[in-house]
């Protein structure tokens, strides 16, 4: 998927004015924020579960090589084939090779953000394999040729009416208006594909080293279809997703859906181990697991390592006031919101994503809800630091900060400059004591007045007052 | 160098922590914080299952299952032809005017009757294991899924379920499916709709 | 006890009355208040822009200026947090300046936190009559745990009616330079805040950070609300609302 993060500001501006999008985004508060709060309250001790979840993820990262090898060994022993991919392009190449070796004409997919990261669908189509997304949200996006705007609810940006129009046009059926009818229509259209597909492609929420299993959490049942019906199953996931045991996976499952959608548990939690047994009537004959690096190993041992704990629940974006304002597409790649503003620069390059780490007030709402305690604001700031040390910050900002620093280190000049600013600002403020426009601060004064300074600084007034 | 070796080499050069004894960590099977004990597992299970939009019927014995199923099908106005795991073929389905067959599920099948390895009180969840006599598709393809579970197979948490599984089978089957109510989607306007790709109705018959 | 008052550059420049109100609160509580004249900025703008070296220089400067104070009090959650939480992370060595900075961090407090948890105030000198809504500024709330302290202090004013707004913990959109760099988004966030303030039924909004106050007031005035008062907690507690002495 092409990275368009450099256009963040322009896209954000458009999205702020898009009434339909704003109406869609306004639902986050109740459907995600409130739902999560209720589900967390339902746990006896959320903080304890969160601490354990954090320890599990951090423990794995400290010995990631050993856990991956253990996973590979066990998965292979159970009949799966484990592939390693350095880059997104390698993932695509491996999947195409598997498809060609098995004369695959049609592949069905359940939702996988890693496959979005790889733009796998385009690669497969180019290789002559038909790809059908089966998660309702992803299916809608495939029909509309759009990218997901949320990692858990990929069509968060679309209203029901837009889906109605889209289905009527693409399915060539009478226009449905109810959400249930639309879901039903998608079910009916997709059902034949499940049966006729030769390959199922899924992501993987966790890899379990103990048993060599892939764990999937889904709600629609398409994930189960994708991994049960076609003769070849390919699971694609990041190398960081491994956890030691079934018990560890259970702790994470206890916290993942609660953080994501406010569910105690997703409708389906599937733990998939090896291929169809000789006496079984269903299940894939081949099970391929592709482990993608794509910049992940480079985060290990750095200030950004904690980002690898991420279990992709989306709570950080749901609670981010910036995401709530501009929606996911503004971020210009697969992963939006705070986690995306950290991952996208790391996967797609710092210079290609300059606005992202800065598009945050560092308010900390994300870190407060993160189920694996990732200090997201600190990581955003660390990326700003990297921009700064690599001279990637805009010259106006650098100049401004340099002048400010020069003054701040010279109290006498600082006092003179602030006294002048206070006096001038006060005059400009006039009788109403506020400025409607200030040169160089149009970003502020475009939507807000600036309350005028008092005319004299504290410093000056304090000195005048002090009898000593 | 292969991709595998390159990735692992990078990880090794970056890792700072002391190396863990992987086998020891696995053998410990350390559990995270679990919910406080439930007074009555059955009551908790039923309450949670119903909250997830499953229907729960309680019967006295195995032999009462067909009647309970018939009652449900009648009430829901559903056809009376069902797929069934072999373990329940001996029941008197004929007497309840239900025709059952234990064949490979097809997409057109409307009703699937399965057992469950166990059930989990914490979340109102069923745990099903795939196998020769327990095909996974029976709980997936039909629009109505009926699961028959004995009350004494209700455990408190998923951790307990894993322990039970290790005790009973040692290794994992190809697929362990935890099922918590009918399939659902909230992709359109975050409005929950039951019956996405999997079953739209789940009946749990507790013996 | 010797208490150093770190005003913050924003209070010094934009709204000295907050500084005087803070002074009054501390002096009424019998603190010996020191206001070092050479103080400037805590370095937060540089720090949040990723320029850690600049922030480090200012940290060392500040540590020297407040070296002889038992406590340092800051009428701002974000500047207090800069000193208390973030300064130590800028120094990993054990040099003399690093030790000084760490010592400074350990005795630095946000104003309301200091009044409640160190001075354990039972009364405050101010008086205020009206319906207030309190906006929890992000850094104070999440990095310093400032939540109950301002509410406990407001409860000491008998004629204050606290009307909590919805989403009082949601960011107002200030975020330092964010408010200028991403003005459109910042404005929308401020707009949401204004809506919640209006819905609360309060006729004044109070917070512990001048940055948030400027942002909220700026948006309120722009959308035509000239009536809702926008006050710093120190001004309310000291009974010096917006009046600048010695003018």
């Amino acid at each position: 998927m092409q990275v368009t993060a450099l256009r963040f500001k322009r896209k954000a501006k458009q999205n702020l004015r898009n009434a339909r999008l704003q109406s869609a985004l306004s639902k986050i508060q109740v459907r995600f924020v409130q739902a999560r709060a209720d589900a967390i309250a339902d746990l006896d001790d959320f903080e304890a579960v969160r601490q354990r979840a954090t320890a599990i993820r951090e423990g794995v990262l400290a010995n990631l090589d050993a856990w991956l090898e253990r996973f590979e060994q066990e998965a292979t022993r159970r009949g799966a084939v484990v592939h390693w991919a350095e880059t997104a392009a390698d993932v695509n190449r491996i999947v195409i090779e598997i498809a060609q070796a098995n004369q695959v004409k049609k592949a069905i997919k359940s939702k996988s953000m890693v496959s979005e990261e790889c733009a796998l669908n385009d690669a497969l189509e180019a290789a002559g394999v038909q790809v059908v997304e089966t998660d309702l949200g992803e299916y809608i996006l495939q029909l509309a040729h759009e990218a997901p705007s949320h990692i858990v609810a990929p069509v968060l940006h679309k209203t029901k009416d837009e889906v109605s129009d889209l289905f009527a046009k693409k399915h060539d059926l009478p226009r449905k208006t109810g959400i249930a009818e639309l879901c039903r229509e998608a079910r009916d259209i997709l059902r034949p594909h499940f049966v006729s597909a030769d390959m199922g492609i899924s992501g993987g929420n966790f890899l379990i080293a103990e048993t060599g299993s892939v764990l999937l959490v889904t709600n629609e049942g398409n994930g189960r279809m994708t991994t049960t019906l076609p003769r070849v199953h390919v699971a694609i996931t990041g190398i960081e997703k491994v956890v030691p045991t079934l018990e560890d996976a259970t702790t994470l499952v206890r916290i993942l859906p609660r953080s994501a959608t406010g569910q105690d548990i997703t409708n389906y939690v599937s733990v998939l181990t090896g291929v169809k047994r000789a006496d079984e009537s269903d299940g894939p004959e081949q099970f391929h697991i592709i482990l993608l690096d794509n910049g992940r190993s480079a985060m290990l041992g750095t200030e950004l390592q904690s980002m690898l704990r991420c279990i992709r629940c989306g709570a950080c974006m749901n609670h981010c006031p910036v995401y709530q304002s501009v929606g996911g597409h503004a971020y210009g790649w697969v992963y939006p919101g705070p986690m995306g503003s950290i991952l996208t620069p790391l996967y797609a390059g710092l210079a290609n994503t300059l606005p992202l780490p800065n598009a945050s007030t560092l308010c900390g709402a994300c870190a407060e809800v993160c189920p694996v305690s990732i200090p997201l604001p600190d990581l955003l700031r660390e990326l700003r630091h990297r921009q700064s040390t690599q001279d990637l910050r805009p010259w106006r900002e650098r100049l401004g900060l340099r002048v400010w620093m020069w003054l701040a280190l010279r109290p006498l000049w600082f006092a003179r400059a602030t006294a002048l600013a206070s006096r001038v600002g006060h005059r400009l403020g006039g009788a109403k004591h506020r400025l409607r426009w200030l040169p160089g601060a149009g970003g502020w004064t475009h939507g807000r007045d600036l309350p005028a300074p008092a005319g004299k600084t504290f410093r000056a007034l304090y000195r005048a007052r002090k009898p000593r | 160098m292969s991709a595998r070796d390159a990735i692992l080499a990078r990880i090794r050069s970056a890792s700072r922590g002391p190396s863990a004894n992987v086998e020891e960590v696995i053998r410990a099977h350390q559990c995270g914080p679990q919910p406080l004990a439930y007074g009555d597992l059955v009551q908790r299970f039923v309450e949670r299952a119903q909250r997830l939009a499953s229907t729960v019927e309680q019967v006295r014995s195995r032999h009462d299952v067909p009647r309970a199923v018939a009652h449900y099908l009648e009430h829901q106005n559903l056809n009376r032809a069902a797929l069934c795991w072999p373990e329940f073929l001996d029941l008197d389905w004929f007497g309840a005017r239900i025709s059952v067959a234990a064949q490979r599920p097809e997409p057109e099948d409307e009703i699937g009757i399965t057992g469950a390895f166990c059930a989990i009180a914490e979340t109102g969840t069923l745990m099903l294991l795939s196998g020769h006599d327990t095909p996974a598709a029976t709980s997936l393809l039909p629009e109505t899924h009926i699961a028959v579970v004995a009350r004494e197979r209700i455990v408190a948490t998923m951790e307990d379920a894993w322990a039970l599984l290790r005790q009973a089978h040692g290794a994992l089957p190809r697929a362990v499916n935890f099922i918590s109510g009918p399939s659902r989607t909230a992709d359109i306007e975050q409005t929950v709709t039951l019956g996405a790709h999997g079953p739209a109705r789940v009946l749990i018959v507790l013996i | 006890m010797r208490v150093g008052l770190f005003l913050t550059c924003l209070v010094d420049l934009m709204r000295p009355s907050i500084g005087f109100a803070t002074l009054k609160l501390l002096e009424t509580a019998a603190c010996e208040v020191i206001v070092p004249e050479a103080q400037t900025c805590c370095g937060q703008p540089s720090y949040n822009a990723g320029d850690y070296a600049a922030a480090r220089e200012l940290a060392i400067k500040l540590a020297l200026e407040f070296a002889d104070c038992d406590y340092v009090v800051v009428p701002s959650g974000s500047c207090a947090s800069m000193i208390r939480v973030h300064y130590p992370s800028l120094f990993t060595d054990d040099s003399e300046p690093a030790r000084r900075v760490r010592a400074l961090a350990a005795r630095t407090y946000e104003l309301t936190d200091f009044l409640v948890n160190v001075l354990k105030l039972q009364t405050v000198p101010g008086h205020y009559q009206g319906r207030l809504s309190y906006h929890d500024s992000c850094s104070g709330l999440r990095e310093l745990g400032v939540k109950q302290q301002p509410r406990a202090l407001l409860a000491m004013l008998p004629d204050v009616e606290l009307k909590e707004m919805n989403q009082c913990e949601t960011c107002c959109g200030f975020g330092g330079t964010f408010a200028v760099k991403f003005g459109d988004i910042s404005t929308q966030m401020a707009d949401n805040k204004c809506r919640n303030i209006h819905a609360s039924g309060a006729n004044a909004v109070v917070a512990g950070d001048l940055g948030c106050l400027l942002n909220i007031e700026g948006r309120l005035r722009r959308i035509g609300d000239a009536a809702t008062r926008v006050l710093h907690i120190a001004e309310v507690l000291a009974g010096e609302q917006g009046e600048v002495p010695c003018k």
Side-chain angles (χ1 to χ4, degrees):
Chain A
M1 195 174 152
Q2 212 194 340
V3 183
T4 58
L6 286 175
R7 295 206 286 267
F8 177 86
K9 271 170 98 161
R10 201 183 328 154
K11 187 76 186 155
K13 198 168 187 166
Q14 285 170 10
N15 289 357
L16 284 167
R17 291 188 186 139
N18 180 339
R20 276 222 265 198
L21 176 69
Q22 292 298 319
S23 138
L25 290 170
S26 69
K27 298 202 164 68
I28 293 175
Q29 199 61 36
V30 176
R31 299 281 153 72
F32 288 112
V33 174
Q34 192 54 49
R36 172 197 170 272
D38 295 344
I40 293 300
D42 185 55
L43 274 179
D44 293 327
D45 189 350
F46 168 71
E47 213 36 61
V49 182
R50 156 144 96 170
Q51 276 174 25
R52 176 68 192 149
T54 305
I56 292 168
R57 298 295 296 132
E58 206 47 45
V60 164
L61 295 177
N63 289 282
L64 186 58
D65 53 333
W67 288 113
L68 282 168
E69 283 181 303
R70 179 59 161 81
F71 171 79
E72 181 188 40
Q73 179 195 331
E74 199 58 29
T76 310
R77 198 171 71 79
R78 303 299 300 267
V81 184
V82 177
H83 307 259
W84 301 70
E86 289 261 32
T87 64
D90 292 336
V91 167
N92 296 346
R93 176 181 51 74
I94 293 165
V95 178
I96 289 168
E97 280 169 12
I98 297 168
Q100 285 169 346
N102 291 286
Q103 290 89 43
V104 169
K105 292 189 188 60
K106 186 195 286 184
I108 49 171
K109 273 183 73 195
S110 70
K111 187 159 77 78
S112 153
M113 286 299 127
V114 173
S115 77
E116 295 279 355
E117 199 179 314
C118 304
L120 175 65
N121 292 7
D122 296 342
L124 277 173
E125 298 275 359
V129 179
Q130 184 193 354
V131 186
V132 183
E133 292 282 358
T134 61
D135 171 83
L136 177 60
E138 289 285 337
Y139 174 66
I140 293 168
L141 294 178
Q142 192 179 27
L143 290 186
H145 301 289
E146 285 177 21
S149 68
H150 190 285
I151 59 169
V152 173
V155 283
L156 185 97
H157 59 284
K158 272 200 171 335
T159 60
K160 177 192 72 172
D161 291 342
E162 289 173 279
V163 178
S164 293
D165 293 341
L166 181 73
F167 276 14
K169 189 170 137 208
K170 298 282 181 176
H171 293 162
D172 202 16
L173 287 167
R175 189 174 183 278
K176 313 284 192 303
T177 51
I179 290 175
E181 291 172 292
L182 291 166
C183 295
R184 180 80 218 183
E185 184 169 310
R187 177 186 166 112
D188 292 343
I189 297 263
L190 286 169
R191 180 118 319 203
H193 291 298
F194 286 120
V195 192
S196 58
D198 315 290
M199 179 192 260
I201 301 171
S202 74
N205 293 90
F206 301 111
L207 305 169
I208 300 165
E210 171 189 5
T211 53
S213 316
V214 174
L215 184 147
L216 281 177
V217 299
T218 64
N219 278 316
E220 296 184 4
N222 65 314
R224 285 187 63 195
M225 303 262 194
T226 305
T227 59
T228 306
L229 302 178
R231 54 197 161 83
V232 181
H233 170 205
V234 182
I236 309 169
T237 196
I239 52 170
E240 81 281 17
K241 290 295 183 67
V242 65
V243 297
T245 62
L246 293 166
E247 281 77 5
D248 293 330
T250 302
T251 296
L252 293 164
V253 164
R254 196 168 272 127
I255 214 166
L256 169 59
R258 281 186 164 89
S259 300
T261 54
Q263 292 173 279
D264 307 347
I265 188 167
T266 48
N267 260 87
Y268 302 109
V269 176
S270 303
V271 178
L272 306 167
T273 315
V275 294
K276 173 181 172 177
R277 314 289 187 255
D279 61 351
E280 263 186 298
S281 65
D282 52 22
E285 290 151 21
Q286 290 179 33
F287 184 16
H288 298 269
I289 303 166
I290 305 179
L291 305 177
L292 173 65
D293 186 331
N294 204 28
R296 287 163 172 82
S297 61
M299 291 155 70
L300 278 172
T302 73
E303 292 80 0
L304 299 163
Q305 170 168 315
S306 58
M307 194 61 222
L308 290 170
R309 291 180 209 154
C310 179
I311 57 173
R312 306 290 192 268
C313 70
C316 60
M317 59 196 74
N318 294 338
H319 291 75
C320 174
V322 174
Y323 178 93
Q324 288 173 4
S325 298
V326 304
H329 285 157
Y331 293 80
W333 203 50
V334 183
Y335 304 107
M339 56 87 80
S341 293
I342 293 158
L343 288 178
T344 309
L346 293 171
Y347 296 172
L350 215 51
N352 293 324
T353 54
L354 288 176
L356 297 188
N358 302 297
S360 161
T361 61
L362 305 180
C363 77
C366 48
E368 195 172 27
V369 296
C370 177
V372 286
S373 326
I374 301 172
L376 293 142
D378 292 341
L379 304 189
L380 289 168
R381 194 184 294 106
E382 171 61 25
L383 287 170
R384 297 179 186 185
H385 178 55
R386 289 186 183 186
Q387 288 183 354
S388 171
T389 51
Q390 294 175 32
D391 280 337
L392 290 168
R393 311 282 306 178
W395 68 267
R396 280 174 55 167
E397 179 192 301
R398 273 187 289 166
L399 180 67
L401 282 173
R402 196 169 295 175
V403 170
W404 180 253
M405 266 305 291
W406 192 92
L407 289 170
L409 289 167
R410 290 164 184 79
L412 203 62
W413 286 100
F414 188 87
R416 286 179 188 158
T418 50
L420 178 69
S422 182
R423 199 162 62 238
V424 173
H426 183 69
R427 275 215 199 119
L428 291 175
K432 289 190 166 169
H433 299 292
R434 49 188 201 249
L435 288 75
R436 290 186 65 83
W437 180 77
L438 187 67
W444 180 291
T445 51
H446 183 68
R448 285 152 294 186
D449 292 353
L450 181 66
K456 285 189 175 166
T457 61
F458 177 89
R459 190 183 311 269
L461 293 166
Y462 183 70
R463 184 183 284 175
R465 192 186 85 151
K466 225 167 44 167
R468 280 163 267 175
Chain B
M1 201 187 327
S2 70
R4 177 186 188 278
D5 295 344
I7 292 169
L8 287 173
R10 263 201 309 280
I11 295 172
R12 275 183 204 118
S13 71
S15 294
R16 290 180 293 194
S19 61
N21 186 331
V22 165
E23 295 310 320
E24 216 167 85
V25 172
I26 289 176
R27 265 198 310 277
H29 292 300
Q30 190 188 338
C31 293
Q34 295 178 61
L36 306 173
Y38 301 118
D40 181 348
L41 288 183
V42 176
Q43 193 190 333
R44 166 83 186 191
F45 173 78
V46 171
E47 179 198 310
R48 286 290 158 145
Q50 286 170 341
R51 226 168 75 162
L52 293 166
S54 296
T55 307
V56 183
E57 290 288 340
Q58 307 208 39
V59 298
R60 293 175 68 88
S61 82
R62 228 174 146 261
H63 299 288
D64 300 325
V65 171
R67 214 169 335 129
V69 171
H71 181 253
Y72 177 79
L73 296 180
E74 201 165 319
H75 198 73
Q76 297 283 333
N77 217 356
L78 296 169
N79 271 336
R80 300 174 81 105
L83 284 179
C84 183
W85 280 3
E87 64 183 290
F88 300 111
L89 282 179
D90 64 315
L91 298 178
D92 183 15
W93 297 104
F94 184 77
R97 292 189 299 115
I98 299 170
S99 74
V100 295
Q103 63 211 11
R104 193 190 139 98
E106 297 295 338
E108 306 77 43
D109 290 314
E110 289 176 26
I111 296 158
I113 301 173
T114 73
F117 173 72
C118 69
I120 298 168
E122 180 184 358
T123 46
T125 299
L126 301 165
M127 182 190 196
L128 276 65
L129 311 181
S130 72
H132 174 252
D133 291 331
T134 55
T138 314
S139 64
L140 178 63
L141 288 173
E143 269 210 72
T144 304
H145 172 209
I146 296 170
V148 183
V149 197
R151 287 165 65 108
E152 55 271 21
R153 299 296 293 179
I154 299 176
V155 298
T157 63
M158 197 183 275
E159 283 88 346
D160 293 343
W162 292 126
L164 201 62
L165 174 61
R166 283 197 193 100
Q167 202 183 345
H169 297 280
L172 292 188
R174 182 192 64 78
V176 176
N177 284 303
F178 294 94
I179 300 175
S180 308
S183 72
R184 67 190 64 205
T185 176
D187 272 343
I188 302 176
E189 295 193 353
Q190 280 58 64
T191 302
V192 174
T193 306
L194 296 183
H197 294 296
R201 276 175 294 272
V202 173
L203 166 68
I204 299 167
V205 185
L206 272 185
I207 303 173
Chain C
M1 78 177 67
R2 282 166 71 85
V3 176
L5 171 57
F6 179 63
L7 284 164
T8 79
C9 54
L10 216 50
V11 166
D12 179 30
L13 170 64
M14 299 297 288
R15 200 144 144 185
S17 58
I18 297 169
F20 287 105
T22 307
L23 207 53
K24 180 171 167 185
L25 287 169
L26 295 172
E27 285 175 345
T28 311
C31 297
E32 182 196 345
V33 184
I34 321 280
V35 189
E37 252 196 280
Q39 63 173 290
T40 55
C41 163
C42 66
Q44 198 180 168
S46 301
Y47 178 64
N48 281 340
D51 186 350
Y52 294 175
R56 236 173 255 129
E57 276 189 82
L58 284 174
I60 294 169
K61 171 178 174 296
L62 217 114
L64 282 172
E65 283 156 9
F66 287 91
D68 59 348
C69 298
D70 300 322
Y71 294 99
V72 177
V73 172
V74 191
S76 155
S78 76
C79 303
S81 173
M82 178 69 206
I83 299 170
R84 196 178 166 92
V85 178
H86 298 290
Y87 274 7
S89 75
L90 287 167
F91 296 85
T92 45
D93 60 342
D94 202 36
S95 62
E96 177 58 26
R99 277 203 301 274
R100 276 174 181 279
V101 168
R102 276 194 285 273
L104 167 75
R107 56 179 202 271
T108 298
Y109 285 82
E110 187 272 341
L111 173 64
T112 62
D113 192 24
F114 184 73
L115 297 179
V116 170
N117 290 323
V118 179
L119 295 183
K120 305 195 189 300
L121 283 195
Q122 300 298 321
T123 57
V124 288
H127 51 85
Y128 186 93
Q129 186 161 20
R131 296 189 303 277
L132 301 180
S133 202
Y134 190 82
H135 161 68
D136 294 285
S137 297
C138 301
S139 309
L141 173 71
R142 299 197 177 87
E143 293 171 3
L144 300 173
V146 174
K147 176 74 188 178
Q148 293 313 322
Q149 300 90 320
R151 288 171 174 79
L153 292 164
L154 287 172
M156 295 174 195
L157 297 170
D159 297 328
V160 162
E161 192 187 342
L162 187 64
K163 309 281 278 185
E164 294 284 4
M165 67 178 105
N166 274 334
Q167 297 171 35
C168 58
E169 294 185 359
T170 299
C171 180
C172 71
F174 176 64
T177 54
F178 175 90
V180 179
K181 279 190 245 173
F182 298 92
D184 298 319
I185 303 171
S186 176
T187 299
Q188 165 135 333
M189 288 162 68
D191 212 37
N192 292 340
K193 186 54 71 180
C194 293
R195 212 170 305 129
N196 284 320
I197 293 166
H198 285 147
S200 74
N203 47 28
V205 57
V206 182
D209 268 85
L210 180 54
C212 311
L213 295 176
L214 293 173
N215 189 39
I216 294 169
E217 183 174 350
R219 185 58 189 168
L220 282 172
R221 303 300 176 245
R222 179 61 60 92
I223 57 177
D225 176 352
T228 303
R229 303 188 72 186
V230 182
L231 301 168
H232 192 278
I233 181 86
E235 296 174 313
V236 176
L237 299 175
E240 299 207 352
Q241 291 108 33
E243 302 301 318
V244 180
C246 310
K247 189 160 173 195

